[in-house]
Amino acid sequence: MLSGGLWACSKSEPYTPPDPFYYFASYKVGKNPTTIMTADLNQDSFTDLITTNIASNTISILLGNGDGTFKDQIQVHICQEPRALTMGDFNEDGHDDVAVACAGDDGIAILLGHGNGRFEEGQRYPVHRAPIALATDDINRDGHADLAVALRNDKVKIFLGNGTGEFRHGVQYEHGDTPTSVALSDLNGDGKLDMVVTNGGPMSNAVSIWLGNGDGSFRDPKDYSTGHRPLGVSFADFNNDQYSDLLVINGEKDCFTTFLGNGNATFRPGKESGADAGPNFGLARDFNGDRLVDVAIVNLQSNDLSILFGKGDGTFHYPPRNYRTKSGPFALSSFRVTTAGGDEPGLAIADNGSGSVSIFLHKGLKPAINSQPRE
């Protein structure tokens, strides 16, 4: 079932956007980083960074100093073409572990963390074929972290964890056209995790909502039309109604789409907005402290970071505030920086074209960056 959307990118209006960020520093990582995540990997209360580097077959770990600076990378060979990663405590020892989608090996690699910024190799799990994205949470409600993996051949695979760092094969679904991302959340408040998948192939151009049964399986999905070639989906609460909304980044036509949620795992038709050329990844936070959710997007073709300031209804003021980046900004993560004035938000960008991570720091406003929608 396909629900329609309205596609018309917003035009500029008489508006001068705030200027909350500034470029701070860049750090070398492996070749062609594709994913960046933040965590406290060595348990010193400072944010650390981890990237997947698809062309050097490695991950890079950058331990943070708490002030927006990072130590030189620790680069670890992991598998062929690591494309994406997710983090959780898979063996329940209190330390962050990592699951990596190895697109060149057609498998999932597990790295078990020691809590000191270092990891040991765990089990590997074959998939068919080319895992492109993954997410973790307790899908079957047994208290252990599970995995949902999007595969290039129109499939989504579930792995069920046993709490020791190992997983067993769960159900596999075939739907849509070329899955590009997967996310997990309880969208209807029934205590069971639901799954959201973007389908970026030309036969689909949709985001699929899979209602969870609470046992590791999902019901047949409902599709919502997106823009052309959706690349990623994440959750936000754009209109402050305490229900999860969706942010979908479209890889063509220079647009992204917001879907306002009804609280029952259904969504209103999408609203399309523009950033700059070639949006590739986005995240939603309140960046200017007005308690309305904004969006940060990295644009692969125009080599910049766009901050769009929310109106509180799933639409945004125009024009955005754009910041020049290194070559090929591919992925984005937010983190907290400790300053003399308190904690402030920062942004970390994986620069695919320059093999680096770039840090943008905030100029001092104190937004509610940690606010989350009701799940």
Side-chain angles (χ1 to χ4, degrees):
M1 180 176 180
L2 194 65
S3 296
L6 175 64
W7 312 129
C9 285
S10 303
K11 304 299 182 182
S12 293
E13 59 191 61
Y15 173 73
T16 301
D19 184 17
F21 288 99
Y22 64 98
Y23 169 79
F24 178 66
S26 291
Y27 298 89
K28 294 301 295 181
V29 293
K31 190 174 181 181
N32 299 128
T34 52
T35 308
I36 185 166
M37 292 193 73
T38 59
D40 181 7
L41 299 176
N42 59 349
Q43 298 182 321
D44 62 357
S45 299
F46 299 145
T47 299
D48 309 312
L49 304 177
I50 182 169
T51 68
T52 53
N53 311 309
I54 196 167
S56 56
N57 303 321
T58 61
I59 62 170
S60 291
I61 298 165
L62 295 88
L63 299 178
N65 299 313
D67 58 358
T69 67
F70 294 85
K71 297 178 174 64
D72 289 343
Q73 65 168 324
I74 303 167
Q75 194 169 169
V76 181
H77 187 278
I78 177 61
C79 62
Q80 292 296 114
E81 299 178 13
R83 177 62 178 81
L85 62 85
T86 190
M87 303 188 72
D89 185 3
F90 302 137
N91 60 353
E92 299 173 11
D93 64 353
H95 306 317
D96 281 321
D97 308 313
V98 178
V100 181
C102 301
D105 285 345
D106 293 332
I108 305 301
I110 304 299
L111 298 176
L112 300 176
H114 292 299
N116 59 359
R118 299 188 178 274
F119 296 85
E120 66 177 91
E121 289 192 29
Q123 295 292 321
R124 303 211 175 195
Y125 300 92
V127 294
H128 182 75
R129 68 181 173 81
I132 191 67
L134 67 178
T136 184
D137 210 324
D138 183 8
I139 298 172
N140 63 347
R141 300 190 295 178
D142 66 352
H144 307 312
D146 308 312
L147 296 172
V149 184
L151 307 175
R152 273 296 193 196
N153 60 340
D154 307 338
K155 294 179 175 63
V156 178
K157 171 78 174 181
I158 305 301
F159 287 91
L160 299 175
N162 62 10
T164 67
E166 298 182 348
F167 296 84
R168 68 182 187 274
H169 288 267
V171 292
Q172 181 169 282
Y173 298 97
E174 184 167 359
H175 178 78
D177 181 12
T178 315
T180 52
S181 71
V182 59
L184 296 166
S185 182
D186 179 5
L187 297 174
N188 57 359
D190 65 354
K192 304 170 185 176
L193 284 173
D194 308 309
M195 182 169 63
V196 182
V197 179
T198 49
N199 299 285
M203 301 300 293
S204 182
N205 289 322
V207 59
S208 302
I209 310 298
W210 301 69
L211 294 182
N213 295 315
D215 59 359
S217 68
F218 296 86
R219 302 172 218 170
D220 290 341
K222 178 180 180 179
D223 289 350
Y224 292 82
S225 295
T226 66
H228 291 272
R229 201 166 68 90
L231 297 176
V233 62
S234 56
F235 303 108
D237 181 6
F238 291 111
N239 58 347
N240 285 333
D241 64 356
Q242 305 302 305
Y243 297 134
S244 286
D245 308 319
L246 302 180
L247 169 65
V248 175
I249 306 301
N250 304 309
E252 296 179 0
K253 306 297 185 182
D254 300 339
C255 286
F256 66 94
T257 312
T258 54
F259 293 87
L260 296 181
N262 299 313
N264 59 359
T266 67
F267 295 85
R268 301 170 216 174
K271 300 177 182 179
E272 194 163 275
S273 304
D276 211 336
N280 198 71
F281 191 94
L283 60 83
R285 300 286 190 275
D286 175 12
F287 293 121
N288 62 341
D290 63 358
R291 300 188 180 277
L292 300 177
V293 174
D294 313 309
V295 170
I297 292 179
V298 286
N299 304 290
L300 194 57
Q301 295 175 18
S302 51
N303 291 318
D304 59 4
L305 162 70
S306 295
I307 309 292
L308 297 102
F309 298 93
K311 295 183 177 180
D313 60 359
T315 66
F316 302 86
H317 294 287
Y318 280 81
R321 176 65 65 179
N322 292 330
Y323 300 92
R324 192 72 178 173
T325 66
K326 299 284 188 179
S327 174
F330 203 87
L332 177 69
S333 187
S334 64
F335 67 101
R336 306 293 298 184
V337 181
T338 302
T339 70
D343 282 350
E344 298 171 1
L347 296 173
I349 298 172
D351 307 311
N352 183 270
S354 60
S356 63
V357 166
S358 291
I359 305 299
F360 283 78
L361 296 185
H362 205 276
K363 292 181 177 178
L365 296 179
K366 306 298 189 295
I369 197 168
N370 288 328
S371 60
Q372 298 292 333
R374 183 174 68 196
E375 297 185 347

